[in-house]
């Protein structure tokens, strides 16, 4: 069945434009509240958000939906996505909601849903919710005496900070480290700097003045230039860049070099293997992770299992095959010993632990392998299915044949934006650039003709 609303990471779109409207948010609340209404106990939902202007609007709408379905709403305010997942379990809620469009600009927003176990919903549950959204919901409304209550919960920041701090090994302190952190003017602007300071670090913070419209704007993990400048300015030992909802992280070393999620997963996998805490004898990543990571792990007797793009698919594979480290090149890193979803702060703490234990600079600790030349380009589309065109399919087949065993080709539609993503990697950079350029031209010509 075709998915109308849910993408790879919940429902997402431009705020106040269909489908990301208050009406849909309310209907999601009614539908999810109905589906998770199990047993005779007093049902509850925890609802967090990032710092987007539209978050106030969507928060009120989704609270209305859940309370209309007879579910009590615990409203958390601005807080990281992993904190919502953690608090869903900690507060014994029936469902958790994060209102966020992650790394997207402030004009966008989204709705992410978590089950009572703190994990993102399965495809089947999302489809059940979708099936209800365009139907009459009057029969699912609670009787007057059973309407849910809504209240704001205090102390949730402190609970998440303590949770994050406990993930740092007991024998490690951050004293002596100067850390620059960019909170992307997003959900972690209070909790992340506080956690690092309480662990002993000298903390310099940027991206911690949200105004509703500056989330991810020239800051954060998708735009780390400001952090690179700050690391140089204050001579920091390390820079940490989070995204708008703090479920991903990118590191900047002391020289200003950006370190992506593939290198970070390599650091954590090697460290955990040495301490005999790595499960599955490897890690889980997506088809977008660099071939260099796969070779690095293989040389050390570890494996790389690949999934479709989307951290929820990484997590599903981890759960099915008993891995405890997984993630994406973009910086979504899932450490299942500590949480159920990507957590930028917790992942950064594992990197900091490796740095402190070795006593070496970040540039040395976090450069675990030489990446294979990789090129990713996007083609914006307005509709249609260009990947099904016969000319595009033939061009893809020719490119795959040319790369053969010397590289990889990944072409896929984005799950969050109207884009076709074209990625190729291999040992010959010139060949990769030529292949990607040719495919972009073919897809663009089909898009234009349509």
């Amino acid at each position: 069945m075709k998915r109308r609303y849910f993408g790879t990471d919940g429902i997402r779109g431009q705020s106040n434009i269909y489908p990301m409207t208050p009406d849909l948010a309310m209907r999601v609340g009614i539908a999810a509240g109905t589906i998770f209404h199990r047993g005779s106990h007093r049902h509850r939902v925890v609802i967090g958000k990032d710092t987007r202007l539209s978050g106030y609007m969507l928060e009120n709408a989704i609270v209305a939906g859940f309370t209309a379905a007879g579910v009590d709403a615990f409203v958390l305010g601005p807080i990281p996505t992993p904190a919502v997942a953690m608090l869903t379990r900690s507060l014994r809620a029936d469902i958790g909601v994060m209102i966020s469009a992650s790394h997207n600009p402030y004009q966008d927003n989204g709705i992410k849903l978590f089950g009572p176990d703190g994990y993102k919903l399965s495809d089947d549950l999302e489809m059940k919710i979708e099936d209800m959204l365009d139907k009459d919901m009057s029969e699912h409304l609670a009787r007057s005496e059973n309407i849910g209550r809504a209240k704001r919960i205090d102390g949730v920041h402190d609970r998440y900070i303590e949770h994050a701090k406990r993930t740092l090994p007991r024998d490690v302190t951050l004293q002596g480290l100067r850390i620059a952190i960019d909170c992307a003017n997003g959900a972690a602007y209070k909790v992340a700097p506080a956690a690092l300071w309480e662990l002993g670090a000298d903390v310099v913070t940027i991206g911690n003045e949200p105004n509703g419209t500056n989330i991810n704007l020239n800051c954060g993990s998708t735009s780390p230039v400001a952090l690179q400048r700050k690391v140089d300015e204050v001579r920091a030992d390390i820079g940490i860049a989070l995204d708008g909802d703090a479920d991903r992280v990118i590191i900047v070393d002391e020289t200003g070099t950006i370190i992506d999620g593939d290198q970070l997963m390599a650091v954590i996998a090697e460290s955990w293997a040495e301490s005999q805490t790595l499960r599955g004898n490897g890690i889980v990543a997506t088809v977008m992770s660099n071939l260099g990571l796969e070779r690095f792990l293989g040389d050390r007797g570890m494996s790389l299992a690949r999934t479709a793009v989307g951290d929820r698919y990484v997590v599903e594979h981890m759960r099915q095959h008993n891995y405890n480290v997984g993630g994406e090149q973009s910086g979504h890193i899932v450490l299942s010993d500590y949480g159920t979803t990507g957590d930028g702060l917790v992942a950064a703490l594992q990197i900091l632990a490796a740095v402190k234990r070795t006593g070496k600079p970040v540039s040395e600790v976090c450069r675990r392998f030489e990446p294979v030349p990789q090129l990713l380009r996007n083609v914006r589309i307005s509709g249609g299915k260009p990947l099904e065109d016969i000319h595009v399919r033939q061009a893809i087949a020719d490119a795959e044949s040319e790369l053969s065993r010397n590289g990889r080709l990944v072409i896929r539609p984005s799950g969050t934006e109207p884009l076709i993503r074209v990625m190729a990697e291999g040992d010959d950079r010139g060949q990769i650039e030529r292949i990607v350029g040719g495919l972009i031209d073919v897809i663009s010509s089909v898009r234009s003709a349509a």
Side-chain angles (χ1 to χ4, degrees), residues 385-390 392-393 396 411-413 420 443 446:
K385 298 180 179 179
L387 294 185
E388 296 182 7
D389 181 88
I390 187 171
V392 174
R393 292 169 63 182
I396 293 172
I411 302 178
R412 66 179 184 88
I420 299 294
I443 295 172
V446 170

Side-chain angles (χ1 to χ4, degrees), residues 84-102:
V84 172
M86 183 270 290
L87 289 164
T88 300
R89 292 184 300 166
S90 177
L91 294 172
R92 295 184 66 183
D94 299 277
I95 189 168
V97 178
M98 179 65 181
I99 302 169
S100 174
S102 191

Side-chain angles (χ1 to χ4, degrees), residues 356-410:
K356 288 291 290 185
R357 281 174 167 167
T358 62
K360 297 177 180 178
V362 176
S363 57
E364 186 174 343
V365 172
C366 292
R367 188 71 175 186
R368 306 316 300 152
F369 62 88
E370 189 64 35
V372 170
Q374 185 182 83
L375 181 61
L376 170 64
R377 288 180 60 188
N378 299 322
V379 183
R380 186 163 294 275
I381 58 175
S382 57
K385 298 180 179 179
L387 294 185
E388 296 182 7
D389 181 88
I390 187 171
H391 301 292
V392 174
R393 292 169 63 182
Q394 184 60 53
I396 293 172
D398 292 342
E400 289 175 334
S401 177
E402 182 178 349
L403 280 174
S404 187
R405 297 181 180 180
N406 298 319
R408 296 189 310 123
L409 181 68
V410 179

Side-chain angles (χ1 to χ4, degrees), residues 81 180 216 263 320 402 431:
T81 289
N216 300 314
Q263 296 282 357
Q320 291 170 2
E402 182 178 349
Q431 180 189 40

Side-chain angles (χ1 to χ4, degrees), residues 180-185 206-207 218-221 223-224 226-227 240-243:
I181 182 167
D182 183 349
C183 299
N185 292 313
I206 62 174
N218 300 321
C219 60
S221 63
S223 184
L227 180 61
I240 298 170
L242 305 174
D243 70 335

Side-chain angles (χ1 to χ4, degrees), residues 120 232 250 258 279 376 413 448:
K120 292 180 180 178
D232 178 65
I250 294 295
I258 296 171
R279 296 201 307 271
L376 170 64
S448 300

Side-chain angles (χ1 to χ4, degrees), residues 189-384:
Y189 78 100
K190 289 184 178 179
V191 294
L196 295 172
W197 184 84
E198 291 178 17
L199 288 166
D202 176 12
V203 183
V204 178
T205 307
I206 62 174
N208 62 333
E209 298 180 351
N211 61 15
T213 62
N214 62 358
I215 187 171
N216 300 314
L217 181 62
N218 300 321
C219 60
S221 63
T222 53
S223 184
V225 175
L227 180 61
Q228 290 174 295
R229 293 196 193 102
K230 184 58 67 173
V231 166
D232 178 65
E233 175 190 334
V234 303
R235 297 186 178 182
D237 298 296
I238 187 173
I240 298 170
L242 305 174
D243 70 335
D245 68 335
D247 65 353
R248 66 166 70 180
V249 63
I250 294 295
I251 296 296
V252 173
D253 70 22
E254 78 282 0
T255 72
T257 301
I258 296 171
I259 301 165
D260 68 12
D262 284 347
Q263 296 282 357
L264 301 182
M265 286 188 286
V267 173
I268 296 171
E270 190 173 40
S271 175
W272 286 21
E274 290 174 357
S275 63
Q276 298 184 335
T277 56
L278 183 70
R279 296 201 307 271
N281 194 36
I283 68 174
V284 182
T286 76
V287 293
M288 301 301 287
S289 278
N290 195 276
L291 185 59
L293 173 61
E294 188 172 344
R295 292 172 177 174
F296 169 84
L297 294 170
D299 290 344
R300 286 155 183 77
M302 292 181 280
S303 63
L304 174 65
R306 293 187 184 270
T307 73
V309 173
D311 64 305
R312 62 197 296 260
Y313 301 114
V314 171
V315 172
E316 286 176 7
H317 194 92
M318 291 172 66
R319 297 179 72 186
Q320 291 170 2
H321 302 280
N322 197 33
Y323 289 87
N324 60 348
V325 177
E328 298 184 279
Q329 186 183 65
S330 61
H332 274 119
I333 297 178
V334 183
L335 306 174
S336 61
D337 289 356
Y338 306 126
T340 57
T341 189
D343 191 323
L345 176 58
V346 168
L349 289 174
Q350 294 303 307
I351 300 301
L352 291 167
V355 170
K356 288 291 290 185
R357 281 174 167 167
T358 62
K360 297 177 180 178
V362 176
S363 57
E364 186 174 343
V365 172
C366 292
R367 188 71 175 186
R368 306 316 300 152
F369 62 88
E370 189 64 35
V372 170
Q374 185 182 83
L375 181 61
L376 170 64
R377 288 180 60 188
N378 299 322
V379 183
R380 186 163 294 275
I381 58 175
S382 57

